[in-house]
Amino acid sequence: MKNIVLTGFMASGKTTIGKELATITGRKLVDTDVMIEQEMGMTTNEIFENFGEEYFRDLETVACHAAAEECGVIISTGGGAVMREINREVLKKTGVVFNLEMNEALIKERMTEAKATRPLMSDEIDKVIERFNSRKEFYDDCDYKIPVYDGQTPTDYAAEILKKYTLSLITKG
Ligand code: S3P
């Protein structure tokens, strides 16, 4: 049984929607950021501070590969996981990939709250938007795009994702 993989920029709601999907389906939730933090016994902020971004990205690649070995789970990825092709490929191999598609206005709106736990959200707004735009092609490399906008509940997103997931299993196996 294929995994359900959530990708998307920071603060797109991957963790919240992942939890909702896990609750509805009874499936396990695997969060690559949580895997990394548990492995290191440090927060993401601390890992970035002490070892730098490239080190974090290597841990992320290991976490994506370990997550992709699971069967029939919900995988919530970190916002930058899609940047490496080997991560996208391994996640696609055993899962149906859903990108929670953000837009600039929503990123700006959610930035203040998102800063606390995310080192790359502490940059100036222009830099954050630039980062988002530079990643677009990687976010687009997914099976389904799920546009994110205010007013939708986690249950709404989960229902949309599950419908598309089931359809994908029927049509693509
Ligand atoms: C990152 C996103 C974060 C986390 C790290 C780097 C990114 O995850 O992996 O701070 O580069 O976009 P969330 O997308 O869950 O915030």
Side-chain angles (χ1 to χ4, degrees), residues 10 14 33 44 48 56-57 60 78-80 118-120 135:
M10 293 173 274
K14 299 178 295 284
D33 282 339
T44 298
F48 267 72
F56 177 85
R57 297 298 170 202
E60 189 168 55
R118 296 173 176 88
L120 300 180
R135 289 179 181 179

Side-chain angles (χ1 to χ4, degrees), residues 4 48 70 76:
I4 295 178
F48 267 72
E70 299 263 2
S76 171

